[in-house]
Amino acid sequence: MNPLNHVAIIMDGNGRWGLKYKNSRNAGHKAGLKTVEKIIKETLKNKIKFLTLYAFSTENWKRPKKEVKYLFDLLETFLVNRIEDLNNQNIKLKIIGIKNFSKKLNKLLIFCEKKTAKNNKLQINLALNYGSKTELINAFKLLSKNKEKINIKNITKYLQTKKIPDPDVLIRTGNTKRLSNFLLWQLAYSEIFFEKKLWPAFNEKDYNKIIKNFKNIKRNFGSIS
Ligand code: FPP
């Protein structure tokens, strides 16, 4: 059986779910947050060490201002209300992406990272204002500036995921089959599961089914053994 150390998720389908059931995209984001809570619990139960959630991409700024504001207000409320409990559960929170939000949110994100920095039961990487191409370009710039050799080890050390093992599993909900500029380097050998359900409808049973399927896959990383 394959060990499962890291699950990455593209939480797609909030907007469509919200429009379908509540006549509002933002209601979909609110419901999506409930799924986030469920999946964190289930990740702990499954003793998985890393969970990476794609919460806001560099391309998501193109959305209407009102929706962007709603998403960041939701994030802020979530962190203010839940950080104490996440910390008590020995969960470490790390932000991947560029922190160029409001001063208040930047401060809150740094506070949460510092507060939970020593925790080691589960690390949640929240991808916020994250784009894989920008991450790679920044890594190449640093390599060039420091006159370092271009090789896998050196590129990896300049990525924001430098101390995080590559995902074993990528899940994308929402019935869409694309990577949307998410962890393009890190997903090279991940097992990918495209899920038809929209993120707010995704549940523990769906998650455990994927985990079970993953554990039984024969992974050979390019070899034939
Ligand atoms: C994609 O669905 C989802 C997002 C861009 C935001 C994800 C946010 C959450 C799950 C809730 C907040 C999370 C945290 C951690 C506070 P979409 O809106 O692109 O859906 P669509 O494809 O149906 O339009």
Side-chain angles (χ1 to χ4, degrees), residues 138-187:
N138 288 339
F140 292 138
K141 280 184 182 162
L142 284 166
L143 280 176
S144 158
K145 189 176 148 207
N146 297 333
K147 297 193 170 51
E148 288 178 78
K149 264 198 185 157
I150 296 181
N151 57 32
I152 292 179
K153 192 170 152 247
N154 285 346
I155 292 173
T156 304
K157 86 173 176 201
Y158 286 125
L159 296 176
Q160 295 199 304
T161 51
K162 62 178 174 248
K163 286 184 190 145
I164 304 167
D166 287 343
D168 300 296
V169 166
L170 169 74
I171 301 170
R172 178 173 189 140
T173 59
N175 203 18
T176 306
K177 293 179 179 155
R178 55 174 170 254
L179 294 180
S180 300
N181 201 11
F182 188 48
L183 303 175
L184 300 178
W185 175 273
Q186 298 87 338
L187 292 173

Side-chain angles (χ1 to χ4, degrees), residues 2-7 47-49 168-169 211 214-215:
N2 297 314
L4 179 52
N5 211 20
H6 185 175
V7 175
K47 300 191 166 59
I48 297 165
K49 285 285 185 190
D168 300 296
V169 166
I211 292 173
F214 164 79
K215 289 198 170 164

Side-chain angles (χ1 to χ4, degrees), residues 11-16 25 29 32-33 36 54-55 60 63 67 71 74-75 78 126 199:
M11 310 179 286
D12 193 19
N14 287 349
R16 278 168 285 161
R25 289 184 53 84
H29 293 310
L33 184 55
V36 169
Y54 204 7
N60 286 151
R63 295 185 177 211
E67 181 169 337
L71 274 168
L74 199 63
L75 172 68
F78 169 73
L126 207 51
W199 178 249

Side-chain angles (χ1 to χ4, degrees), residues 13-207:
N14 287 349
R16 278 168 285 161
W17 187 94
L19 284 177
K20 186 167 175 196
Y21 296 104
K22 309 269 176 188
N23 206 22
S24 134
R25 289 184 53 84
N26 286 346
H29 293 310
K30 192 172 170 194
L33 184 55
K34 289 200 180 131
T35 305
V36 169
E37 295 265 17
K38 282 185 206 163
I39 295 306
I40 293 175
K41 260 195 203 152
E42 214 52 33
T43 305
L44 283 166
K45 267 196 206 162
N46 278 284
K47 300 191 166 59
I48 297 165
K49 285 285 185 190
F50 297 88
L51 174 68
T52 301
L53 300 173
Y54 204 7
F56 196 85
S57 74
T58 45
E59 289 75 26
N60 286 151
W61 294 108
K62 292 180 212 155
R63 295 185 177 211
K65 267 198 184 136
K66 251 177 117 176
E67 181 169 337
V68 172
K69 182 176 181 313
Y70 186 86
L71 274 168
F72 286 117
D73 287 349
L74 199 63
L75 172 68
E76 197 179 311
T77 311
F78 169 73
L79 291 176
V80 169
N81 292 338
R82 303 285 289 112
I83 195 63
E84 203 61 47
D85 182 48
L86 294 176
N87 189 40
N88 290 337
Q89 289 187 72
N90 200 5
I91 294 175
K92 174 175 174 173
L93 187 75
K94 179 176 167 58
I95 308 301
I96 59 168
I98 297 167
K99 289 190 199 84
N100 64 352
F101 313 107
S102 68
K103 254 193 192 159
K104 190 175 164 212
L105 182 57
N106 285 342
K107 232 174 117 178
L108 175 64
L109 294 172
I110 293 167
F111 169 81
C112 293
E113 285 190 309
K114 278 197 181 146
K115 186 175 174 82
T116 61
K118 294 211 170 87
N119 294 342
N120 60 12
K121 189 160 185 193
L122 165 66
Q123 175 168 334
I124 299 177
N125 307 304
L126 207 51
L128 281 177
N129 193 22
Y130 173 84
S132 190
K133 288 188 177 178
T134 305
E135 181 189 35
L136 283 164
I137 288 169
N138 288 339
F140 292 138
K141 280 184 182 162
L142 284 166
L143 280 176
S144 158
K145 189 176 148 207
N146 297 333
K147 297 193 170 51
E148 288 178 78
K149 264 198 185 157
I150 296 181
N151 57 32
I152 292 179
K153 192 170 152 247
N154 285 346
I155 292 173
T156 304
K157 86 173 176 201
Y158 286 125
L159 296 176
Q160 295 199 304
T161 51
K162 62 178 174 248
K163 286 184 190 145
I164 304 167
D166 287 343
D168 300 296
V169 166
L170 169 74
I171 301 170
R172 178 173 189 140
T173 59
N175 203 18
T176 306
K177 293 179 179 155
R178 55 174 170 254
L179 294 180
S180 300
N181 201 11
F182 188 48
L183 303 175
L184 300 178
W185 175 273
Q186 298 87 338
L187 292 173
Y189 269 104
S190 309
E191 303 296 334
I192 301 182
F193 294 83
F194 292 111
E195 164 68 48
K196 284 197 172 131
K197 281 191 181 176
L198 305 173
W199 178 249
F202 188 71
N203 61 33
E204 295 90 337
K205 210 173 146 197
D206 304 315
Y207 190 43

